[in-house]
DNA sequence: CTGGGGAGGGGGCCC
DNA sequence: GGGGCCCCCTCCCCA
């Protein structure tokens, strides 16, 4: 009997004793056998689970007990694989897992998927299912969820319709192909949703830790990861920015795409906008409000705890790490996860008051401001020599500022560099004052701007040399 | 074409 | 938990 050897082959299989000709209608395809067999096997296992036959594993989810088969869980979930293979010896005899990080309903969806290949996703449960799948390290489920979300958001049509509905679509069901369940390599799955043609999320490929793609993510997966639910907020940022002005590109596109090329047209500043009508301002504010709302909604839908047992310490106690629901990255601290999540959500809460550029972290904003707008480096821009606060003349180029030594200033020639009168030149109203001209209450935040601020982008305007008393410019 | 430097972004970890 | 520092990496510009 060479049935086994023939499995997987697409050519028709002829049973032993079968006439070799004249009865073609009795030939059948081994692929059909495989599918049928797997389907029956899965059905049998599912039946056994429902009847609690041969169940050797108990899973407690928020007090609700689920019975299942250890080998099935092992084959389906990286988490259970780790639990079964790395746990203390005693665990192997009687498996009991307890979860409080997702609901019984969510685990029901997961378990049903494991035993049936049917993933019952809806707009209400997709985030939690994805988070649970992430926790349980079920990459195929994660991918189905991502595809579900992507298809719901229709993000590939980013530029086509800014009025499109951002809400997730109605309930639908993703079906796993039989036999794909245990395949970690299964990234796209049988669902019909295809990834968008263009990526517009931030480039993670240069992440030094390489957390994406380490254990589970192929390139295709990376694409999906980057366009996971966070895309919602991400897109909102991009949308608003597109509306806002062309000079400030979406914060979520790869920098390679954002950077101005040599021959690229000069950016438009908000002030020089061709039609900065009042209605447009209102639209921008409205879009911002929607953006904030949607981002809040996104965060609100995230489960409160996204933890995972990374490994066991020498006392066989699990070490808790926080796992990003959107990628394979784990961190020790929840605060670090929160910070990390910004790279998925596109959230940039720290805008530069001087140039409107936004940053994910305060320290990046500070660094940017000090480098670009404050000329904090005591180095001559031209000859790279060290200068002091006395010898280093500050050159203003739009909102950019840098220092030049006396020699270089003379070499360039003051006539070529519009010079601001030293008297009263120390102040930098646009940078240190609020938009309404009032001084910021918190000098620490003096270089930050609110979302309502509408300051000119660095326009590369006239160069200005000024003697600056840095003590006045100190931010903190 | 290539290497250096600037700028930005992200992770780990300390306070 | 937030702020901040350090380090590293990547991208881009420019000589």
């Amino acid at each position: 009997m060479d049935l086994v050897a023939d499995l997987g082959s697409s050519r028709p299989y002829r049973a032993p004793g079968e006439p070799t000709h004249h009865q073609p209608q009795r030939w059948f395809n081994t692929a059909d056998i495989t599918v049928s067999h797997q389907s029956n096997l899965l059905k049998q296992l599912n039946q056994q689970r429902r009847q609690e036959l041969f169940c050797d594993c108990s899973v407690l989810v928020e007090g609700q007990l689920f019975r299942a088969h250890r080998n099935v869980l092992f084959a389906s979930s990286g988490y259970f694989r780790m639990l079964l293979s790395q746990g203390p010896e005693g665990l192997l005899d009687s498996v009991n897992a307890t979860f409080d990080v997702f609901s019984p309903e969510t685990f029901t969806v997961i378990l049903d998927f494991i035993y049936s290949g049917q993933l019952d996703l809806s707009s209400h449960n997709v985030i939690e299912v994805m988070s649970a799948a992430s926790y349980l390290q079920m990459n195929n489920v994660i991918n189905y969820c991502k595809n579900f979300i992507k298809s719901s958001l229709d993000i590939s049509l980013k530029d086509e319709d800014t009025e499109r509905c951002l809400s997730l679509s109605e309930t639908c069901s993703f079906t796993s192909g039989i036999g794909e369940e245990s395949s970690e390599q299964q990234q796209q799955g049988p669902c019909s949703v295809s990834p968008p043609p263009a990526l517009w999320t931030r480039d993670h490929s240069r992440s030094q830790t390489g957390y994406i793609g380490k254990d589970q993510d192929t390139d295709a997966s990376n694409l999906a990861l980057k366009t996971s639910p966070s895309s919602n907020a991400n897109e909102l940022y991009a949308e608003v920015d597109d509306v806002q002005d062309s000079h400030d590109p979406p914060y979520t596109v790869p920098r390679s795409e954002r950077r101005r090329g040599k021959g690229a047209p000069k950016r438009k500043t908000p002030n020089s906008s061709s039609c900065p009508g009042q209605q447009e301002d209102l639209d921008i504010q409205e879009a911002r409000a929607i953006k904030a709302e949607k981002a809040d909604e996104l965060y609100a839908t995230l489960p409160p705890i996204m933890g995972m047992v990374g490994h066991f310490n020498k006392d066989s106690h699990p070490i808790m790490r926080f796992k990003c629901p959107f990628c394979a990255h784990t961190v020790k601290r929840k605060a670090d996860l929160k910070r990390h999540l910004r790279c998925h959500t596109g959230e940039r809460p720290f805008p530069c008051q001087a140039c409107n550029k936004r940053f994910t972290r305060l320290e990046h904003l500070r660094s940017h401001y000090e480098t670009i707008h404050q000329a904090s480096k005591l180095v001559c821009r031209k000859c790279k020599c060290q200068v002091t606060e006395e010898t280093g003349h500050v050159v203003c180029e739009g909102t950019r500022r840098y220092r030049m030594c006396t020699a270089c200033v003379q070499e360039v020639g003051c006539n070529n560099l519009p010079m601001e009168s030293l008297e009263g030149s120390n102040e930098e109203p646009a940078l240190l004052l609020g938009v309404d001209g009032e001084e910021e209450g918190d000098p620490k935040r003096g270089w930050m701007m609110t979302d309502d601020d509408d300051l000119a982008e660095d326009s590369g305007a006239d160069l200005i040399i000024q003697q600056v008393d840095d003590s006045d410019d100190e931010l903190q």
Side-chain angles (χ1 to χ4, degrees), chain A residues 60-79:
Chain A
L60 197 62
V61 182
E62 286 184 353
Q64 188 170 330
L65 189 68
F66 293 86
R67 298 284 290 161
H69 301 96
R70 196 161 48 181
N71 52 355
V72 174
L73 295 182
F74 185 98
S76 308
S77 156
Y79 176 90

Side-chain angles (χ1 to χ4, degrees), chain A residues 359-378:
Chain A
F359 297 85
T360 56
R361 298 193 207 166
L362 189 62
E363 67 210 77
H364 289 165
L365 169 58
R366 181 184 299 113
S367 170
H368 158 83
Y369 186 85
E370 290 178 354
T371 304
I372 302 297
H373 305 298
Q374 206 191 16
S376 62
K377 283 184 180 175
L378 294 175

